[in-house]
Amino acid sequence: MHLITLIPGDGIGPEITKAVTDIFAAAQVPVLWEEQNAGQTTFDQSGELIPQALLTSLEKNRVALKGPITTPVGKGFRSINVTLRQKYDLYQNVRPSKTTEGIKTRYEGIDLVLFRENTEGLYSGLEVYDERLGIADSFNRITKEGSRKISRAAFAYADRHGRKKVTLAHKANILKMAGTLMLNACKEASNEFPHIVFEDKIIDNMCMQLVNKPEQFDVIVTTNLFGDILSDLCAGLVGGLGVVAGANIGDNMAIFEAVHGSAPDIAGQGKANPTALLRSALMMLHHLGEHQYADTIDKALEITLKDKQKCTGDLGGTASTSEFAQTIISNLGK
């Protein structure tokens, strides 16, 4: 049995979390959930945004599944996601994007994975405001060690999964120092994996190429801000944030999460699509070595997605969150 920290989150989080846990129970996945929460709901109830009980659970279990969380706006709170990533050095943000039969998009044949450095760059939280001059400076902190870690992680993933190419997206033509750190780190990692093709593209050209011919890419690696933008762009190519998985991975901990928002406007209405959280949970199972359970549930999900009427409204169907989950359950083992 794997003991997993479960963070339901806010808004639609509890609904999609229940859908996932119901599917796991029906598939008899060997996990035990230890539920702890964070975010707006937790703050309203206890006055704590990230309770110590959650941190204790994370540090004990080392693996978590997290629903979407709301950070209160306008009250000086730092993003919960950024806080957890930096506190536990979850330096890899891993986002697969793959076209799926049953999910209508403008593209076919996309199967790429984006590695975004998750703790540095413009999200380091290093800002200075000179009120007299009216100037705000945000520091794009890039380190040699951070660049090496994310670059090697991308190449090691490509090696493990039989991927043929790694593409670095950067702006070294303008950001001479920060961009060159990443470029050199990727070249260093490439030398360790000579059988994997390495290429680099300027970020603006990368965006155009992704929209124009996304099937040419395999594994993409980039810095924090560029990765934040590209990962959502890639999600848009394959159906949106509601159907893609996400993971925050470090050397000692991994938090798997739905990457969409908490959607408070539809909370409690049974309209939410649990696919993103379910796919994140399947990434978690692969991380734990439970490949057979992950493959069984993934097959049931793909069968369900082909039956449009059994899907939630955002996918063109009429099913509720729980009905969608029950259809996946009925397709287990098919």
Side-chain angles (χ1 to χ4, degrees), residues 22 58-59 63 85 89 130 147 150 211 215 240 257 267 321:
D22 285 349
L58 289 172
E59 290 163 12
V63 177
R85 291 166 185 172
D89 194 22
D130 187 321
S147 300
I150 192 63
V211 173
E215 64 276 9
E257 65 177 351
T321 306

Side-chain angles (χ1 to χ4, degrees), residues 116-138:
R116 163 192 173 192
E117 201 293 317
N118 216 17
T119 61
E120 299 185 345
L122 280 168
Y123 292 4
S124 299
L126 303 172
E127 294 189 300
V128 176
Y129 178 61
D130 187 321
E131 188 170 356
R132 182 178 64 87
L133 297 176
I135 297 174
D137 290 308
S138 298

Side-chain angles (χ1 to χ4, degrees), residues 20-299:
V20 171
T21 56
D22 285 349
I23 292 166
F24 270 45
Q28 298 182 326
V29 179
V31 300
L32 291 174
W33 304 105
E34 185 173 281
E35 185 173 326
Q36 298 289 340
N37 212 357
Q40 181 73 63
T41 303
T42 302
F43 181 77
D44 292 342
Q45 293 172 349
S46 68
E48 292 183 286
L49 201 60
I50 308 178
Q52 182 58 46
L54 169 59
L55 302 179
T56 300
S57 178
L58 289 172
E59 290 163 12
K60 174 174 58 112
N61 299 330
R62 301 290 177 180
V63 177
L65 180 66
K66 184 176 78 65
I69 285 178
T70 300
T71 298
V73 176
K75 298 181 181 179
F77 292 111
R78 194 179 185 198
S79 163
I80 296 171
N81 289 336
V82 172
T83 299
L84 292 175
R85 291 166 185 172
Q86 294 189 344
K87 180 177 178 62
Y88 296 115
D89 194 22
L90 306 176
Y91 62 92
Q92 304 172 46
N93 186 268
V94 185
R95 294 273 294 271
S97 294
K98 184 177 181 179
T99 46
T100 305
E101 188 178 351
I103 299 178
K104 186 178 180 181
T105 70
R106 298 169 184 261
Y107 301 92
E108 295 180 356
I110 299 174
D111 183 6
L112 61 85
V113 181
L114 189 142
F115 276 72
R116 163 192 173 192
E117 201 293 317
N118 216 17
T119 61
E120 299 185 345
L122 280 168
Y123 292 4
S124 299
L126 303 172
E127 294 189 300
V128 176
Y129 178 61
D130 187 321
E131 188 170 356
R132 182 178 64 87
L133 297 176
I135 297 174
D137 290 308
S138 298
F139 296 93
N140 181 37
R141 173 164 289 180
I142 306 293
T143 69
K144 182 182 288 187
E145 180 63 19
S147 300
R148 283 175 168 171
K149 285 166 66 176
I150 192 63
S151 298
R152 194 187 185 283
F155 276 92
Y157 177 94
D159 182 54
R160 286 196 310 273
H161 293 86
R163 300 273 178 163
K164 294 181 172 58
K165 183 172 69 172
V166 173
T167 304
L168 167 66
H170 65 91
K171 195 67 176 175
N173 58 327
I174 302 297
L175 304 174
K176 301 291 186 181
M177 296 181 183
T180 300
L181 268 183
M182 274 293 289
L183 188 56
N184 289 341
C186 275
K187 289 177 179 177
E188 184 180 300
S190 176
N191 291 334
E192 188 179 346
F193 300 91
H195 56 289
I196 298 172
V197 174
F198 170 59
E199 66 176 9
D200 67 282
K201 292 188 183 296
I202 303 299
I203 184 62
D204 37 345
N205 178 43
M206 183 73 187
C207 291
M208 184 191 71
Q209 294 287 341
L210 271 167
V211 173
N212 191 44
K213 194 179 178 184
E215 64 276 9
Q216 69 182 288
F217 297 107
D218 200 352
V219 174
I220 300 169
V221 62
T222 190
T223 50
N224 207 335
L225 178 62
F226 292 161
D228 191 10
I229 296 167
L230 288 184
S231 58
D232 278 20
L233 188 158
C234 292
L237 301 177
V238 299
L241 294 176
V243 298
V244 295
N248 304 284
I249 301 173
D251 294 333
N252 300 302
M253 186 183 294
I255 299 177
F256 299 82
E257 65 177 351
V259 295
H260 55 71
S262 58
D265 55 318
I266 61 168
Q269 299 177 34
K271 296 179 179 180
N273 175 6
T275 299
L277 188 62
L278 180 58
R279 283 180 160 170
S280 301
L282 299 186
M283 282 184 74
M284 181 188 74
L285 289 183
H286 285 300
H287 176 79
L288 294 169
E290 299 290 355
H291 306 296
Q292 185 174 346
Y293 289 101
D295 291 342
T296 296
I297 297 172
D298 188 43
K299 184 177 180 182

